């Protein structure tokens, strides 16, 4: 259709930390991050965009505006070479949001460890839920809505307000509201803009409740696990904040915040509590003791990146010392390390132990809470992750979507035990999953694991 308007603009809000629109001079002022801007004026289109590579690198500066004629008639407006969606804007916001959520979780976890707290509740299935679970979900819901517009944001998330709304949880609800507002006040340090005013109890409950999408095969939605590995979180151990964007049933970007997972691999040999003590004794500016990281990737980029968590009182300046991560090159099972869940309730340790022996794995398994297992493989700290659920347990999409994108873009492979990709198009569960989930550092290793599963499955009790 023709453009009859003399001036029409599509612009990314400064809420994303990208810059601001100057109405007086009718131009866009970028900041350090790079941005995306399209302005349609008459028969000209001006554009600048973030690169398809590591976000934060611009293809061209805003001082070098490019233009090209638009073929226009009375019936249609056409572009000869439409650009594919690269999700750079969404990834930028997601990484910053997860960084912010990590800071929230660190504060809450420290308070749970340092004193007796009523910040832990039990859900109907007796699994724990904490102040951090609800607070992160409310915070992420608010930030995404501020960044993209609430009508454009659909979120599938783990928590609801059923337990939080109960009268006996009154003290917990008050703490959640306070925690959310303290976190949102920190948003500008991360290049984000939160609500203009502090949120009340009703608004916080609404933010949590908005995460009620049921997913599906069409459209776009975010999948959020606000605190994956809540049991590890309560115990002061490993946990993760997982955020993925799913479009038309395919996970297109993933971000994992791992607040207790050290940047340096050698720290994995030390107990997390020992590491926490040493971290407090060492200046926070020392990279040697960096604890916690955010790992992220975008579908089709062929690369995954890792940033350290933002230090207290610092501003997030892109790319925040980010560096690429890659899976291990080990494809000999006798040299490989495999990860498995700590919890026995929803995973069979006996089967994975027998499987590991049959395929030639000789190292002790790395038992880790949460999706940190995906981060371990993406970084090359381990080579295999296997999870075979007990009968009746159904895997949820928020427990896997972010990790799958990250491992695949880092060079690894993730499938079910039948070798098929995980299907995120069936709602909140991984429906049709063949026996279990297998993630490997490479195709050769992956094939050996799948063949071993086939050979051992009939003798299992799963």
């Amino acid at each position: 259709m023709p453009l009859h308007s003399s001036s029409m603009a599509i612009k990314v809000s400064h809420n994303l930390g990208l810059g601001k629109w100057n109405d007086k001079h009718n131009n866009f002022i970028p900041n350090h991050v790079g941005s995306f801007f399209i302005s349609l004026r008459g028969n000209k289109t001006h554009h600048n965009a973030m690169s398809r590579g590591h976000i934060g690198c611009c293809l061209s500066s805003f001082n070098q505006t490019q233009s090209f004629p638009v073929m226009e008639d009375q019936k249609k407006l056409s572009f000869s070479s439409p650009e594919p969606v690269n999700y750079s804007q969404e990834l930028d916001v997601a990484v910053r949001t997860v960084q912010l959520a990590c800071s929230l979780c660190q504060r809450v976890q420290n308070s749970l460890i340092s004193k007796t707290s009523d910040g832990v509740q039990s859900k109907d299935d007796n699994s724990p839920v904490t102040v951090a679970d609800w607070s992160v979900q409310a915070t992420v819901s608010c930030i995404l809505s501020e960044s993209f517009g609430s009508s454009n944001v659909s979120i599938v998330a783990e928590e609801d307000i059923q337990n939080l709304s109960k009268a006996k949880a009154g003290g917990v609800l008050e703490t959640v509201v306070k925690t959310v507002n303290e976190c949102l006040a920190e948003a500008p340090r991360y290049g984000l803009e939160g609500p203009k005013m502090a949120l009340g109890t009703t608004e916080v409950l609404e933010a949590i409740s908005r995460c009620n999408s049921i997913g599906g095969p069409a459209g776009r939605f975010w999948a959020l696990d606000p605190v994956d590995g809540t049991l590890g979180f309560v115990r002061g151990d490993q946990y993760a904040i997982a955020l993925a964007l799913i479009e038309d049933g395919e996970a297109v970007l993933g971000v994992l915040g791992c607040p207790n997972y050290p940047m340096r691999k050698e720290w994995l040999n030390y107990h997390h509590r020992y590491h926490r003590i040493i971290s407090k004794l060492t200046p926070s500016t020392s990279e040697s003791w960096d604890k916690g990281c955010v790992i992220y990737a975008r579908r089709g980029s062929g690369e995954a990146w890792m940033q350290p968590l933002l230090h207290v009182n610092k501003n997030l300046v892109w790319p925040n010392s980010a560096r690429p991560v890659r899976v291990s090159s080990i494809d000999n099972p006798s040299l490989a390390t495999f990860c498995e869940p700590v919890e026995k309730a929803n995973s069979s340790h006996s089967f994975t132990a027998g499987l590991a022996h049959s395929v030639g794995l000789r190292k002790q398994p790395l038992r880790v809470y949460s999706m940190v297992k995906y981060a371990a493989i993406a970084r090359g700290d381990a080579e295999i992750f296997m999870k075979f659920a007990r009968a009746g347990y159904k895997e949820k999409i928020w427990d896997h979507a972010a990790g799958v994108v990250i491992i695949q873009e880092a060079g690894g492979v993730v499938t079910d035990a039948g070798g098929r990709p995980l299907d995120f198009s069936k709602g909140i569960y991984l429906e049709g999953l063949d026996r279990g989930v297998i993630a490997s550092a490479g195709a050769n290793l992956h094939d050996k694991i799948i063949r071993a599963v086939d050979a051992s499955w009939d003798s299992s009790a799963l």
Side-chain angles (χ1 to χ4, degrees):
M1 58 181 290
L3 292 177
H4 298 294
S5 172
S6 61
S7 177
M8 180 172 68
I10 307 169
K11 52 189 177 179
V12 168
S13 166
H14 65 280
N15 288 355
L16 307 187
L18 301 180
K20 61 182 180 180
W21 180 256
N22 188 328
D23 289 316
K24 180 177 179 181
H25 299 289
N26 202 33
N27 63 4
F28 187 80
I29 303 172
N31 66 8
H32 61 276
V33 182
S35 58
F36 177 93
F37 170 67
I38 302 176
S39 174
L40 300 176
R41 304 187 184 280
N43 292 330
K44 298 283 185 179
T45 299
H46 306 279
H47 73 99
N48 273 299
M50 286 189 290
S51 74
R52 295 183 183 85
H54 185 38
I55 56 178
C57 301
C58 295
L59 288 174
S60 58
S61 72
F62 275 84
N63 294 325
Q64 297 175 334
T65 304
Q66 298 178 348
S67 64
F68 55 86
V70 177
M71 300 298 293
E72 181 180 1
D73 58 27
Q74 295 299 311
K75 294 184 179 180
K76 64 180 180 179
L77 176 68
S78 63
F79 295 86
S80 57
S81 300
E83 290 290 328
V85 179
N86 66 17
Y87 303 103
S88 294
Q89 171 198 346
E90 291 86 348
L91 185 58
D92 179 272
V93 173
V95 171
R96 294 171 184 273
T97 302
V98 171
Q99 281 270 8
L100 177 63
C102 286
S103 70
L104 182 159
C105 287
Q106 286 179 313
R107 290 195 297 270
V108 174
Q109 189 183 55
N110 287 336
S111 70
L112 289 175
I113 294 170
S114 62
K115 62 182 179 180
T116 301
S117 174
D118 63 351
V120 182
Q121 301 286 311
S122 293
K123 293 189 278 190
D124 292 339
D125 61 359
N126 292 322
S127 62
V129 59
T130 71
V131 165
D133 292 85
W134 288 305
S135 298
V136 168
Q137 187 160 312
T139 298
V140 172
S141 175
C142 287
I143 293 294
L144 292 182
S145 294
E146 287 287 329
S147 299
F148 300 111
S150 58
S151 61
N152 300 319
V153 174
S154 179
I155 304 174
V156 176
E158 182 169 14
E159 307 306 337
D160 58 34
I161 61 172
Q162 180 178 352
N163 292 302
L164 187 59
S165 300
K166 292 178 181 177
K168 66 178 182 180
V172 175
L173 176 56
E174 182 180 337
T175 303
V176 167
V177 174
K178 181 175 181 289
T179 302
V180 170
N181 282 310
E182 288 176 348
C183 184
L184 291 174
E186 293 286 301
R189 287 205 302 121
Y190 295 83
L192 299 164
E193 185 171 328
K196 299 296 187 293
M197 301 177 63
L199 302 182
T201 299
T202 300
E203 292 165 310
V204 169
L205 290 173
E206 288 176 350
I208 297 170
S209 298
R210 280 199 301 269
C211 304
N212 62 354
S213 171
I214 58 173
R220 170 184 291 197
F221 63 90
W222 297 86
L224 168 68
D225 194 336
V227 179
D228 184 46
T230 303
L231 191 58
F233 176 81
V234 170
R235 293 174 176 174
D237 208 312
Q238 299 292 345
Y239 64 99
I241 297 97
L243 182 62
L245 180 61
I246 297 173
E247 184 145 31
D248 296 333
E250 181 180 24
V252 295
L253 67 84
V255 185
L256 281 178
C258 308
N260 283 344
Y261 198 52
M263 289 282 288
R264 296 169 65 91
K265 180 178 179 180
E266 52 265 35
W267 273 104
L268 292 175
N269 296 324
Y270 294 89
H271 193 274
H272 57 93
R273 286 174 183 163
Y274 176 70
H275 180 272
R276 182 162 53 244
I277 293 170
I278 295 299
S279 296
K280 289 181 178 179
L281 296 176
T282 308
S284 61
T285 55
S286 172
E287 184 179 347
S288 299
W289 309 112
D290 270 345
K291 183 189 73 169
C293 59
V294 173
I295 301 181
Y296 53 95
R298 175 174 49 82
R299 173 75 66 195
S301 66
E303 55 191 17
W305 296 82
M306 176 174 65
Q307 294 180 357
L309 295 189
L310 190 64
H311 289 305
V312 178
N313 299 324
K314 299 289 185 180
N315 292 333
L316 197 158
V317 179
W318 205 265
N320 189 35
S321 302
R323 60 176 182 254
V325 294
R326 200 73 184 164
V327 297
S328 166
S329 60
I330 292 174
D331 61 4
N332 183 344
S334 66
L335 301 176
T337 299
F338 80 95
C339 298
E340 64 180 359
V342 175
E343 304 92 333
K344 295 181 180 180
N346 57 16
S347 180
S348 173
H349 287 177
S350 59
F351 178 70
T352 53
L355 185 65
H357 181 77
S358 68
V359 81
L361 295 170
R362 296 293 177 259
K363 291 188 175 183
Q364 287 295 314
L366 178 63
R367 288 180 178 165
V368 184
Y369 291 99
S370 81
M371 290 175 69
V372 169
K373 293 180 285 291
Y374 280 104
I377 294 176
R379 279 184 14 171
D381 298 336
E383 286 73 39
I384 301 165
F385 162 45
M386 299 182 287
K387 183 179 181 184
F388 299 96
R390 296 183 180 278
Y393 182 83
K394 298 178 71 173
E395 298 287 349
K396 288 114 179 150
I397 61 173
W398 53 68
D399 287 326
H400 298 279
V404 168
V405 178
I406 291 169
I407 284 184
Q408 289 178 338
E409 297 308 313
V413 182
V414 185
T415 70
D416 66 16
R420 298 178 304 185
L422 305 191
D423 188 350
F424 298 106
S425 71
K426 305 296 186 183
I428 67 172
Y429 296 106
L430 288 176
E431 301 287 0
L433 189 70
D434 187 347
R435 292 168 287 184
V437 177
I438 301 173
S440 304
N444 289 338
L445 197 57
H446 200 81
D447 183 60
K448 292 174 183 176
I449 297 297
I450 286 181
R451 283 190 278 116
V453 171
D454 287 337
S456 305
W457 189 257
D458 289 342
S459 61
S460 75
L462 296 176

